[in-house]
Amino acid sequence: MALMGLDTLMLYTEDTYEVPEYPYFGYMRGRYSQAEIREMDEYAAQFGIELIPCIQTLGHLERIFRWPCFSEINDCTNILLCDEEKTYDFIEAMIRACRNSFRTNRIHIGMDEAHMMGLGKHLDRFGYERRDVIFCRHLQKVTEICKKYDFKPMIWSDMFFRLAFEGSYYAFDKDIDPEIIKLVPEDVELVYWDYYHESQEDYASMIASHQKFNNRTVFAGGAWRWLGHGPAIKKSLFVSRAALNACIEKGVEDVFCTAWGDNGNEASFWVVLPVLQQYAEFSYQGDLSDEELAKRMFTCTGESFDDILLTDLTNWVDRNHHIGSGGNPSKYLLYMDILGGIAERHTHEDYPEKYEHAAQKLFEARDRSPSMGYVYDLLAKLSKVLAIKSRVGVDAQKAYKTGDRETLRKIADQVLPQLLIYFEEFHKSMFVQWMTECKANGYEVLDLRIGGLESRTRTCIQRIRMYLDGQIDRIEELDEDRLTMNCCSDEIVEKYEAMCDNFWIPAFSANGV
């Protein structure tokens, strides 16, 4: 980052940092101790990097509410109970913990996507009140706590828009109620986050809406590593170019790039390097071509820009794929059940060939990389898995329904045993990547997911063999016709083959887990 010319790193934590007064906060979650954060802060400072805490003080606190000791401050779902004194004792303890860990005077206090705020315990206790008023009152109280500990806060801005426009954040050319704007503390920075839109005009319109507040606007884009094991870096570069040009046009001086790890943190952190380089270059000389970015990135990192773009190949199999697509077949095809293939309508007969090609390219990149070899190795082995798994269920159902017992026997005795070998190799690579980049906590989730796939493969082999050997007279999962996952028409599937489904449980089974 320092070589690129970037000067800030936000450390996003929900409950993964130490708050001494609340021992169940981050319990068994690999939380950072205050000593660890101070060590990171000191290291970053050596290179001119400001480490900023990025926490949550309203929503996105799912994990703490599994513990009964937090029930008194829970409104509903993952949201803190506004206007409850104990809530603000808790928030003050969080902010005090940050003060004891970070040297910066900036703090991101979150407050995004609190969709059900004020509609649970708050409604029962206090009765109905305009939710934007509740939100602003909560913000004012948290801002005062931040001031007490010499922090200048920023928040995600979406709730102002969601509460005003029926849940929609990106409400172009619409104005927030001026009376609500007056309730927002002027020293709070508003972070407009957007990693979706493809036109500069859309970003410029939303920035203009933010600039009607009496608050400084910050922009947050994204490097798409939250789609599963495989990212969407070409999309990230494409949408970021539009967003950053809009920031220059509208005079937004502070921008940062998010790199979320939704639903498992399965992708490597290093795949975001091209996008970080793009953000850095925009800060100094504006827009650059990918060729120029590649030269700069190699100078700063020693890694190949073009090779990192190959990590997109695990999601780049749709016949109609375009650069703005955020589809993630690498995730839902990985977790999709073999016999109950819930996403089989979203595949094509050329997927195996495309995944074999991806595996070859990624293995070659692995052998060229000075330090990211394990990243390419994982995705290459995932591609070998998907070369079989993307279509084996389709082939099994076709053979079953047409009475092709020879093909079913081949699937049970050759194809699925080979898939099991590929799963085991992929599983080992996932262990290497996680233990290289992350604390051990959390790997047990991926261990369970991938281990479950291995176990299920053995069961599917057994079920097909039982059918072929006459021990059962049908395979119920293969009797059922396949529908689309998103209830769309055949025409839509044909036009937009790949989709985005970022949760492993619904991709695996309609029966839940």
Side-chain angles (χ1 to χ4, degrees):
M1 286 179 60
L3 285 170
M4 290 176 176
L6 298 168
D7 63 4
T8 301
L9 176 66
M10 287 193 181
L11 185 65
Y12 179 74
T13 50
E14 291 174 3
D15 63 328
T16 50
Y17 60 103
E18 180 186 16
V19 179
E21 299 92 332
Y22 295 86
Y24 280 93
F25 187 79
Y27 173 57
M28 299 296 284
R29 291 262 288 145
R31 62 192 170 201
Y32 288 117
S33 68
Q34 293 186 13
E36 286 174 320
I37 294 176
R38 285 193 290 268
E39 181 182 359
M40 288 187 282
D41 195 8
E42 180 64 33
Y43 182 76
Q46 294 179 48
F47 299 97
I49 305 295
E50 181 183 14
L51 192 67
I52 297 178
C54 186
I55 67 173
Q56 290 290 353
T57 59
L58 182 58
H60 282 297
L61 290 168
E62 291 90 341
R63 301 295 172 236
I64 72 169
F65 291 126
R66 66 167 295 160
W67 306 114
C69 55
F70 290 106
S71 62
E72 289 185 320
I73 58 173
N74 182 207
D75 183 1
C76 58
T77 62
N78 61 0
I79 300 168
L80 290 170
L81 177 58
C82 298
D83 300 315
E84 163 57 51
E85 183 177 347
K86 291 179 180 179
T87 297
Y88 300 101
D89 292 340
F90 172 58
I91 291 173
E92 180 164 359
M94 290 195 288
I95 293 173
R96 182 166 54 246
C98 291
R99 182 71 287 158
N100 292 334
S101 305
F102 295 85
R103 70 184 66 193
T104 181
N105 68 346
R106 302 181 74 189
I107 187 170
H108 198 314
I109 55 175
M111 297 198 187
D112 60 313
E113 297 182 316
H115 304 295
M116 299 297 290
M117 179 205 68
L119 297 178
K121 194 180 296 179
H122 192 281
L123 180 63
D124 294 338
R125 181 178 298 180
F126 303 110
Y128 178 77
E129 185 179 10
R130 277 185 56 172
R131 296 169 65 225
D132 47 5
V133 173
I134 298 172
F135 180 83
C136 289
R137 186 167 61 241
H138 180 73
L139 173 59
Q140 289 169 345
K141 292 178 180 179
V142 179
T143 299
E144 288 303 313
I145 296 172
C146 290
K147 289 180 180 178
K148 178 178 177 180
Y149 291 93
D150 193 28
F151 275 125
K152 182 178 180 179
M154 65 185 84
I155 66 167
W156 307 111
S157 67
D158 58 294
M159 285 300 291
F160 294 111
F161 295 86
R162 295 184 194 279
L163 292 171
F165 306 120
E166 299 178 346
S168 175
Y169 183 16
Y170 305 114
F172 301 106
D173 302 318
K174 292 184 179 180
D175 295 329
I176 301 293
D177 183 347
E179 294 304 312
I180 293 299
I181 290 177
K182 291 178 183 178
L183 296 178
V184 182
E186 293 187 11
D187 52 355
V188 173
E189 295 178 325
L190 302 186
V191 183
Y192 158 43
W193 56 270
D194 191 345
Y195 3 91
Y196 304 108
H197 293 96
E198 300 181 13
S199 76
Q200 182 175 330
E201 292 74 18
D202 285 345
Y203 293 102
S205 175
M206 278 298 292
I207 291 170
S209 295
H210 282 71
Q211 291 175 335
K212 293 176 182 177
F213 284 79
N214 302 313
N215 304 77
R216 186 169 181 264
T217 299
V218 176
F219 176 76
W224 283 61
R225 61 169 291 274
W226 53 77
L227 292 172
H229 296 88
I233 301 305
K234 290 179 183 176
K235 174 184 177 66
S236 305
L237 294 167
F238 178 59
V239 298
S240 294
R241 182 165 280 116
L244 294 173
N245 275 316
C247 288
I248 292 173
E249 173 194 341
K250 304 299 288 186
V252 175
E253 296 180 346
D254 216 354
V255 301
F256 64 90
C257 178
T258 64
W260 306 113
D262 301 37
N263 196 247
N265 193 46
E266 293 158 322
S268 168
F269 287 104
W270 296 109
V271 296
V272 309
L273 288 176
V275 191
L276 295 188
Q277 192 72 59
Q278 183 186 43
Y279 270 68
E281 297 309 316
F282 258 95
S283 298
Y284 293 96
Q285 52 187 327
D287 202 351
L288 290 181
S289 67
D290 284 356
E291 291 74 20
E292 292 170 305
L293 284 178
K295 293 177 184 178
R296 295 287 297 140
M297 199 195 88
F298 182 77
T299 299
C300 293
T301 70
E303 293 291 340
S304 166
F305 184 94
D306 291 336
D307 280 355
I308 293 181
L309 293 189
L310 292 176
T311 61
D312 278 1
L313 289 176
T314 54
N315 289 319
W316 203 272
V317 290
D318 186 344
R319 290 165 295 164
N320 304 308
H321 204 106
H322 62 93
I323 197 168
S325 172
N328 65 338
S330 69
K331 181 151 189 170
Y332 58 76
L333 295 180
L334 171 65
Y335 292 117
M336 174 179 69
D337 187 49
I338 293 169
L339 294 181
I342 202 167
E344 286 176 1
R345 290 288 304 280
H346 300 270
T347 70
H348 190 261
E349 60 187 12
D350 64 1
Y351 274 25
E353 179 183 353
K354 288 183 175 180
Y355 277 118
E356 286 288 354
H357 172 76
Q360 178 184 347
K361 291 294 184 182
L362 288 161
F363 278 131
E364 292 170 358
R366 176 195 65 185
D367 297 338
R368 290 190 293 265
S369 175
S371 57
M372 285 180 56
Y374 68 91
V375 178
Y376 298 116
D377 184 71
L378 173 74
L379 293 175
K381 289 175 179 175
L382 172 61
S383 298
K384 294 294 286 185
V385 166
L386 297 178
I388 293 177
K389 195 164 186 292
S390 61
R391 294 293 290 181
V392 67
V394 176
D395 295 340
Q397 186 181 49
K398 180 180 179 182
Y400 172 74
K401 289 200 168 186
T402 60
D404 184 354
R405 300 175 68 85
E406 182 180 348
T407 296
L408 274 180
R409 180 66 70 180
K410 181 180 179 181
I411 289 172
D413 292 350
Q414 298 178 37
V415 178
L416 292 183
Q418 183 62 59
L419 176 61
L420 189 56
I421 292 171
Y422 288 155
F423 267 138
E424 291 167 350
E425 293 175 352
F426 168 65
H427 199 164
K428 292 175 184 176
S429 291
M430 185 70 248
F431 176 82
V432 170
Q433 177 174 293
W434 187 277
M435 296 303 170
T436 300
E437 299 188 5
C438 305
K439 288 195 174 190
N441 303 73
Y443 178 71
E444 72 277 7
V445 175
L446 300 186
D447 214 14
L448 178 69
R449 292 181 188 183
I450 303 172
L453 292 172
E454 294 166 348
S455 179
R456 180 61 181 162
T457 301
R458 296 185 186 97
T459 298
C460 290
I461 292 171
Q462 180 182 11
R463 295 263 294 137
I464 295 172
R465 287 175 176 170
M466 290 174 68
Y467 172 73
L468 292 172
D469 295 342
Q471 297 177 50
I472 57 176
D473 61 4
R474 55 191 289 234
I475 303 175
E476 290 95 333
E477 303 96 319
L478 297 181
D479 282 330
E480 192 155 358
D481 292 337
R482 303 305 193 232
L483 303 176
T484 63
M485 280 190 73
N486 49 6
C487 303
C488 64
S489 66
D490 291 343
E491 292 77 13
I492 295 295
V493 171
E494 183 65 25
K495 185 175 181 181
Y496 303 106
E497 190 171 82
M499 59 179 180
C500 185
D501 192 320
N502 208 23
F503 295 93
W504 80 279
I505 290 177
F508 169 62
S509 171
N511 295 301
V513 174

CSV table of all heavy atoms in Angstrom, one decimal, residues 260-303:
chain,number,residue,atom,x,y,z
A,260,TRP,N,-14.9,-6.8,1.1
A,260,TRP,CA,-15.7,-7.7,2.0
A,260,TRP,C,-15.4,-9.2,1.8
A,260,TRP,O,-15.0,-9.6,0.7
A,260,TRP,CB,-17.2,-7.4,1.8
A,260,TRP,CG,-17.5,-5.9,1.9
A,260,TRP,CD1,-18.0,-5.1,1.0
A,260,TRP,CD2,-17.4,-5.1,3.1
A,260,TRP,NE1,-18.2,-3.8,1.5
A,260,TRP,CE2,-17.9,-3.8,2.8
A,260,TRP,CE3,-17.0,-5.4,4.4
A,260,TRP,CZ2,-17.9,-2.7,3.7
A,260,TRP,CZ3,-17.1,-4.3,5.4
A,260,TRP,CH2,-17.5,-3.0,5.0
A,261,GLY,N,-15.8,-9.9,2.8
A,261,GLY,CA,-15.6,-11.4,2.7
A,261,GLY,C,-16.9,-12.1,3.0
A,261,GLY,O,-16.9,-13.1,3.8
A,262,ASP,N,-18.0,-11.7,2.5
A,262,ASP,CA,-19.3,-12.2,2.8
A,262,ASP,C,-19.4,-13.7,2.8
A,262,ASP,O,-18.8,-14.4,1.9
A,262,ASP,CB,-20.4,-11.7,1.8
A,262,ASP,CG,-20.5,-10.2,1.8
A,262,ASP,OD1,-19.5,-9.5,1.9
A,262,ASP,OD2,-21.6,-9.7,1.7
A,263,ASN,N,-20.1,-14.3,3.7
A,263,ASN,CA,-20.5,-15.7,3.7
A,263,ASN,C,-19.3,-16.6,3.6
A,263,ASN,O,-19.3,-17.6,2.8
A,263,ASN,CB,-21.5,-16.0,2.6
A,263,ASN,CG,-22.3,-17.3,2.8
A,263,ASN,OD1,-22.1,-18.2,2.1
A,263,ASN,ND2,-23.1,-17.4,3.9
A,264,GLY,N,-18.3,-16.4,4.4
A,264,GLY,CA,-17.2,-17.4,4.5
A,264,GLY,C,-15.8,-16.9,4.2
A,264,GLY,O,-14.9,-17.6,4.5
A,265,ASN,N,-15.7,-15.7,3.7
A,265,ASN,CA,-14.4,-15.1,3.4
A,265,ASN,C,-13.5,-16.1,2.6
A,265,ASN,O,-12.4,-16.4,2.9
A,265,ASN,CB,-13.7,-14.8,4.8
A,265,ASN,CG,-12.4,-13.9,4.5
A,265,ASN,OD1,-12.4,-12.9,3.8
A,265,ASN,ND2,-11.3,-14.3,5.2
A,266,GLU,N,-14.1,-16.6,1.5
A,266,GLU,CA,-13.5,-17.7,0.8
A,266,GLU,C,-12.4,-17.3,-0.1
A,266,GLU,O,-11.5,-18.1,-0.4
A,266,GLU,CB,-14.6,-18.5,0.1
A,266,GLU,CG,-15.6,-19.2,1.0
A,266,GLU,CD,-16.9,-19.5,0.4
A,266,GLU,OE1,-17.4,-18.7,-0.4
A,266,GLU,OE2,-17.5,-20.6,0.7
A,267,ALA,N,-12.4,-16.1,-0.6
A,267,ALA,CA,-11.4,-15.7,-1.6
A,267,ALA,C,-10.2,-15.1,-0.9
A,267,ALA,O,-10.3,-14.6,0.2
A,267,ALA,CB,-12.0,-14.6,-2.5
A,268,SER,N,-9.1,-15.2,-1.6
A,268,SER,CA,-7.8,-14.6,-1.0
A,268,SER,C,-7.9,-13.1,-1.0
A,268,SER,O,-8.6,-12.5,-1.9
A,268,SER,CB,-6.6,-15.0,-1.9
A,268,SER,OG,-5.5,-14.2,-1.6
A,269,PHE,N,-7.3,-12.5,0.0
A,269,PHE,CA,-7.2,-11.0,0.0
A,269,PHE,C,-6.4,-10.4,-1.1
A,269,PHE,O,-6.6,-9.3,-1.6
A,269,PHE,CB,-6.6,-10.6,1.3
A,269,PHE,CG,-7.5,-10.7,2.5
A,269,PHE,CD1,-7.3,-11.7,3.4
A,269,PHE,CD2,-8.6,-9.8,2.7
A,269,PHE,CE1,-8.2,-11.9,4.5
A,269,PHE,CE2,-9.4,-10.0,3.8
A,269,PHE,CZ,-9.2,-11.0,4.7
A,270,TRP,N,-5.4,-11.2,-1.6
A,270,TRP,CA,-4.4,-10.7,-2.6
A,270,TRP,C,-5.0,-10.4,-4.0
A,270,TRP,O,-4.4,-9.7,-4.8
A,270,TRP,CB,-3.2,-11.6,-2.7
A,270,TRP,CG,-2.5,-11.7,-1.4
A,270,TRP,CD1,-2.4,-12.7,-0.5
A,270,TRP,CD2,-1.8,-10.6,-0.8
A,270,TRP,NE1,-1.7,-12.4,0.6
A,270,TRP,CE2,-1.3,-11.1,0.5
A,270,TRP,CE3,-1.4,-9.3,-1.1
A,270,TRP,CZ2,-0.5,-10.3,1.3
A,270,TRP,CZ3,-0.7,-8.5,-0.3
A,270,TRP,CH2,-0.2,-9.1,0.9
A,271,VAL,N,-6.2,-11.0,-4.3
A,271,VAL,CA,-6.8,-10.8,-5.6
A,271,VAL,C,-7.2,-9.3,-5.8
A,271,VAL,O,-7.5,-8.9,-6.9
A,271,VAL,CB,-8.0,-11.7,-5.8
A,271,VAL,CG1,-7.6,-13.2,-5.8
A,271,VAL,CG2,-9.1,-11.4,-4.8
A,272,VAL,N,-7.3,-8.5,-4.7
A,272,VAL,CA,-7.7,-7.1,-4.9
A,272,VAL,C,-6.6,-6.2,-5.3
A,272,VAL,O,-6.9,-5.0,-5.5
A,272,VAL,CB,-8.4,-6.6,-3.5
A,272,VAL,CG1,-9.4,-7.6,-3.0
A,272,VAL,CG2,-7.3,-6.4,-2.5
A,273,LEU,N,-5.4,-6.7,-5.4
A,273,LEU,CA,-4.3,-5.8,-5.7
A,273,LEU,C,-4.5,-4.9,-7.0
A,273,LEU,O,-4.2,-3.7,-6.9
A,273,LEU,CB,-3.0,-6.6,-5.9
A,273,LEU,CG,-2.4,-7.2,-4.6
A,273,LEU,CD1,-1.1,-8.0,-5.0
A,273,LEU,CD2,-2.0,-6.1,-3.6
A,274,PRO,N,-5.0,-5.4,-8.1
A,274,PRO,CA,-5.2,-4.5,-9.2
A,274,PRO,C,-6.2,-3.3,-8.9
A,274,PRO,O,-6.0,-2.2,-9.4
A,274,PRO,CB,-5.9,-5.4,-10.3
A,274,PRO,CG,-5.4,-6.8,-9.9
A,274,PRO,CD,-5.3,-6.8,-8.4
A,275,VAL,N,-7.2,-3.6,-8.1
A,275,VAL,CA,-8.1,-2.5,-7.8
A,275,VAL,C,-7.5,-1.5,-6.8
A,275,VAL,O,-7.7,-0.3,-7.0
A,275,VAL,CB,-9.4,-3.1,-7.2
A,275,VAL,CG1,-10.5,-2.0,-7.1
A,275,VAL,CG2,-9.9,-4.3,-8.0
A,276,LEU,N,-6.7,-2.0,-5.9
A,276,LEU,CA,-6.0,-1.0,-5.0
A,276,LEU,C,-5.0,-0.1,-5.8
A,276,LEU,O,-4.9,1.1,-5.6
A,276,LEU,CB,-5.2,-1.8,-4.0
A,276,LEU,CG,-5.9,-2.6,-2.9
A,276,LEU,CD1,-5.0,-3.1,-1.9
A,276,LEU,CD2,-7.1,-1.8,-2.3
A,277,GLN,N,-4.4,-0.7,-6.8
A,277,GLN,CA,-3.5,0.1,-7.7
A,277,GLN,C,-4.3,1.1,-8.4
A,277,GLN,O,-3.8,2.3,-8.6
A,277,GLN,CB,-2.7,-0.8,-8.7
A,277,GLN,CG,-1.6,-0.2,-9.4
A,277,GLN,CD,-0.4,0.1,-8.5
A,277,GLN,OE1,0.1,-0.8,-7.9
A,277,GLN,NE2,0.0,1.4,-8.3
A,278,GLN,N,-5.5,0.7,-8.9
A,278,GLN,CA,-6.3,1.7,-9.6
A,278,GLN,C,-6.7,2.8,-8.7
A,278,GLN,O,-6.6,4.0,-9.2
A,278,GLN,CB,-7.6,0.9,-10.1
A,278,GLN,CG,-8.5,1.8,-11.0
A,278,GLN,CD,-9.8,1.1,-11.3
A,278,GLN,OE1,-10.4,0.4,-10.5
A,278,GLN,NE2,-10.2,1.2,-12.6
A,279,TYR,N,-7.1,2.6,-7.5
A,279,TYR,CA,-7.4,3.7,-6.6
A,279,TYR,C,-6.3,4.6,-6.3
A,279,TYR,O,-6.4,5.8,-6.3
A,279,TYR,CB,-8.0,3.1,-5.3
A,279,TYR,CG,-9.5,2.8,-5.2
A,279,TYR,CD1,-10.0,1.9,-6.1
A,279,TYR,CD2,-10.3,3.6,-4.4
A,279,TYR,CE1,-11.4,1.7,-6.1
A,279,TYR,CE2,-11.7,3.4,-4.4
A,279,TYR,CZ,-12.2,2.4,-5.2
A,279,TYR,OH,-13.6,2.3,-5.2
A,280,ALA,N,-5.1,4.0,-6.2
A,280,ALA,CA,-3.9,4.8,-5.9
A,280,ALA,C,-3.6,5.7,-7.1
A,280,ALA,O,-3.3,6.9,-7.0
A,280,ALA,CB,-2.7,3.9,-5.7
A,281,GLU,N,-3.6,5.1,-8.3
A,281,GLU,CA,-3.3,5.9,-9.5
A,281,GLU,C,-4.3,7.1,-9.7
A,281,GLU,O,-3.9,8.2,-10.2
A,281,GLU,CB,-3.2,5.0,-10.8
A,281,GLU,CG,-2.1,4.0,-10.7
A,281,GLU,CD,-0.8,4.5,-10.3
A,281,GLU,OE1,-0.4,5.6,-10.8
A,281,GLU,OE2,-0.1,3.9,-9.4
A,282,PHE,N,-5.6,6.8,-9.5
A,282,PHE,CA,-6.6,7.9,-9.6
A,282,PHE,C,-6.2,9.0,-8.7
A,282,PHE,O,-6.5,10.2,-9.0
A,282,PHE,CB,-8.0,7.3,-9.3
A,282,PHE,CG,-8.8,7.1,-10.5
A,282,PHE,CD1,-8.8,5.8,-11.1
A,282,PHE,CD2,-9.5,8.1,-11.1
A,282,PHE,CE1,-9.6,5.5,-12.2
A,282,PHE,CE2,-10.3,7.8,-12.3
A,282,PHE,CZ,-10.3,6.6,-12.8
A,283,SER,N,-5.7,8.7,-7.5
A,283,SER,CA,-5.4,9.8,-6.5
A,283,SER,C,-4.2,10.7,-7.0
A,283,SER,O,-4.1,11.8,-6.5
A,283,SER,CB,-5.0,9.1,-5.2
A,283,SER,OG,-6.0,8.3,-4.7
A,284,TYR,N,-3.4,10.2,-7.9
A,284,TYR,CA,-2.2,11.0,-8.3
A,284,TYR,C,-2.3,11.5,-9.7
A,284,TYR,O,-1.8,12.6,-10.0
A,284,TYR,CB,-0.9,10.1,-8.1
A,284,TYR,CG,-0.7,9.9,-6.7
A,284,TYR,CD1,-1.1,8.7,-6.1
A,284,TYR,CD2,-0.1,10.8,-5.9
A,284,TYR,CE1,-0.9,8.4,-4.7
A,284,TYR,CE2,0.2,10.6,-4.5
A,284,TYR,CZ,-0.2,9.4,-4.0
A,284,TYR,OH,0.0,9.1,-2.6
A,285,GLN,N,-2.8,10.7,-10.6
A,285,GLN,CA,-2.8,11.1,-12.0
A,285,GLN,C,-4.1,10.8,-12.8
A,285,GLN,O,-4.2,10.9,-14.0
A,285,GLN,CB,-1.6,10.5,-12.8
A,285,GLN,CG,-1.5,9.0,-12.6
A,285,GLN,CD,-0.2,8.4,-13.2
A,285,GLN,OE1,0.3,9.0,-14.2
A,285,GLN,NE2,0.4,7.4,-12.7
A,286,GLY,N,-5.2,10.4,-12.1
A,286,GLY,CA,-6.4,10.2,-12.7
A,286,GLY,C,-6.5,8.8,-13.4
A,286,GLY,O,-5.7,7.9,-13.1
A,287,ASP,N,-7.3,8.7,-14.4
A,287,ASP,CA,-7.6,7.4,-15.0
A,287,ASP,C,-6.4,6.9,-15.8
A,287,ASP,O,-5.7,7.7,-16.5
A,287,ASP,CB,-8.8,7.6,-16.0
A,287,ASP,CG,-9.5,6.2,-16.3
A,287,ASP,OD1,-8.9,5.2,-15.9
A,287,ASP,OD2,-10.6,6.3,-16.9
A,288,LEU,N,-6.1,5.6,-15.7
A,288,LEU,CA,-5.1,5.0,-16.5
A,288,LEU,C,-5.6,3.8,-17.2
A,288,LEU,O,-6.6,3.1,-16.7
A,288,LEU,CB,-3.9,4.6,-15.6
A,288,LEU,CG,-3.0,5.7,-15.0
A,288,LEU,CD1,-1.9,5.0,-14.2
A,288,LEU,CD2,-2.4,6.6,-16.0
A,289,SER,N,-5.0,3.4,-18.3
A,289,SER,CA,-5.4,2.1,-19.0
A,289,SER,C,-5.0,0.9,-18.1
A,289,SER,O,-4.1,1.1,-17.2
A,289,SER,CB,-4.7,2.0,-20.3
A,289,SER,OG,-3.3,1.9,-20.2
A,290,ASP,N,-5.5,-0.2,-18.4
A,290,ASP,CA,-5.1,-1.4,-17.7
A,290,ASP,C,-3.7,-1.8,-17.9
A,290,ASP,O,-3.0,-2.3,-17.0
A,290,ASP,CB,-6.0,-2.6,-18.1
A,290,ASP,CG,-7.4,-2.6,-17.5
A,290,ASP,OD1,-7.6,-1.7,-16.7
A,290,ASP,OD2,-8.2,-3.4,-17.8
A,291,GLU,N,-3.2,-1.4,-19.1
A,291,GLU,CA,-1.7,-1.7,-19.4
A,291,GLU,C,-0.8,-0.9,-18.5
A,291,GLU,O,0.2,-1.4,-18.0
A,291,GLU,CB,-1.5,-1.4,-20.9
A,291,GLU,CG,-2.1,-2.3,-21.9
A,291,GLU,CD,-3.6,-2.1,-22.1
A,291,GLU,OE1,-4.1,-1.0,-21.7
A,291,GLU,OE2,-4.3,-3.0,-22.5
A,292,GLU,N,-1.2,0.4,-18.3
A,292,GLU,CA,-0.4,1.2,-17.5
A,292,GLU,C,-0.5,0.8,-16.0
A,292,GLU,O,0.5,0.8,-15.2
A,292,GLU,CB,-0.8,2.7,-17.6
A,292,GLU,CG,-0.5,3.3,-19.0
A,292,GLU,CD,-1.2,4.6,-19.2
A,292,GLU,OE1,-2.4,4.7,-19.1
A,292,GLU,OE2,-0.4,5.6,-19.5
A,293,LEU,N,-1.7,0.4,-15.6
A,293,LEU,CA,-1.9,-0.1,-14.2
A,293,LEU,C,-1.1,-1.4,-14.0
A,293,LEU,O,-0.5,-1.5,-12.9
A,293,LEU,CB,-3.4,-0.5,-14.0
A,293,LEU,CG,-4.4,0.7,-13.8
A,293,LEU,CD1,-5.8,0.1,-13.6
A,293,LEU,CD2,-4.0,1.5,-12.5
A,294,ALA,N,-1.0,-2.2,-15.0
A,294,ALA,CA,-0.2,-3.5,-14.9
A,294,ALA,C,1.3,-3.2,-14.6
A,294,ALA,O,1.9,-3.8,-13.8
A,294,ALA,CB,-0.4,-4.3,-16.2
A,295,LYS,N,1.8,-2.2,-15.3
A,295,LYS,CA,3.2,-1.8,-15.1
A,295,LYS,C,3.4,-1.3,-13.7
A,295,LYS,O,4.4,-1.6,-13.0
A,295,LYS,CB,3.6,-0.7,-16.1
A,295,LYS,CG,3.7,-1.3,-17.6
A,295,LYS,CD,4.0,-0.1,-18.5
A,295,LYS,CE,4.0,-0.6,-20.0
A,295,LYS,NZ,4.3,0.5,-20.9
A,296,ARG,N,2.5,-0.4,-13.2
A,296,ARG,CA,2.6,0.2,-11.9
A,296,ARG,C,2.5,-0.9,-10.8
A,296,ARG,O,3.2,-0.9,-9.9
A,296,ARG,CB,1.6,1.3,-11.7
A,296,ARG,CG,1.7,2.5,-12.6
A,296,ARG,CD,2.9,3.3,-12.2
A,296,ARG,NE,2.7,3.9,-10.8
A,296,ARG,CZ,3.6,4.0,-9.9
A,296,ARG,NH1,4.8,3.6,-10.1
A,296,ARG,NH2,3.3,4.5,-8.7
A,297,MET,N,1.5,-1.8,-11.0
A,297,MET,CA,1.3,-2.8,-10.0
A,297,MET,C,2.5,-3.8,-9.9
A,297,MET,O,2.9,-4.2,-8.8
A,297,MET,CB,0.0,-3.6,-10.3
A,297,MET,CG,-0.5,-4.4,-9.1
A,297,MET,SD,-1.7,-5.6,-9.6
A,297,MET,CE,-0.7,-7.0,-9.9
A,298,PHE,N,3.1,-4.1,-11.1
A,298,PHE,CA,4.2,-5.0,-11.0
A,298,PHE,C,5.4,-4.3,-10.3
A,298,PHE,O,6.1,-5.0,-9.5
A,298,PHE,CB,4.7,-5.4,-12.4
A,298,PHE,CG,5.9,-6.3,-12.4
A,298,PHE,CD1,5.7,-7.7,-12.2
A,298,PHE,CD2,7.1,-5.9,-12.7
A,298,PHE,CE1,6.8,-8.6,-12.1
A,298,PHE,CE2,8.2,-6.7,-12.7
A,298,PHE,CZ,8.0,-8.1,-12.4
A,299,THR,N,5.6,-3.0,-10.5
A,299,THR,CA,6.6,-2.3,-9.8
A,299,THR,C,6.4,-2.3,-8.3
A,299,THR,O,7.3,-2.5,-7.5
A,299,THR,CB,6.7,-0.8,-10.3
A,299,THR,OG1,7.0,-0.8,-11.7
A,299,THR,CG2,7.7,0.0,-9.5
A,300,CYS,N,5.1,-2.2,-7.9
A,300,CYS,CA,4.8,-2.1,-6.5
A,300,CYS,C,4.7,-3.4,-5.7
A,300,CYS,O,4.9,-3.5,-4.5
A,300,CYS,CB,3.5,-1.3,-6.3
A,300,CYS,SG,3.5,0.4,-6.7
A,301,THR,N,4.4,-4.5,-6.5
A,301,THR,CA,4.1,-5.7,-5.8
A,301,THR,C,4.9,-6.9,-6.3
A,301,THR,O,5.0,-8.0,-5.7
A,301,THR,CB,2.6,-6.1,-6.0
A,301,THR,OG1,2.3,-6.5,-7.4
A,301,THR,CG2,1.7,-5.0,-5.6
A,302,GLY,N,5.4,-6.8,-7.5
A,302,GLY,CA,6.1,-7.9,-8.1
A,302,GLY,C,5.2,-9.0,-8.7
A,302,GLY,O,5.6,-10.0,-9.2
A,303,GLU,N,3.9,-8.7,-8.7
A,303,GLU,CA,2.9,-9.7,-9.2
A,303,GLU,C,2.3,-9.2,-10.5
A,303,GLU,O,2.3,-8.0,-10.8
A,303,GLU,CB,1.7,-9.8,-8.2
A,303,GLU,CG,2.1,-10.5,-6.9
A,303,GLU,CD,2.5,-11.9,-7.0
A,303,GLU,OE1,2.0,-12.6,-8.0
A,303,GLU,OE2,3.1,-12.5,-6.1
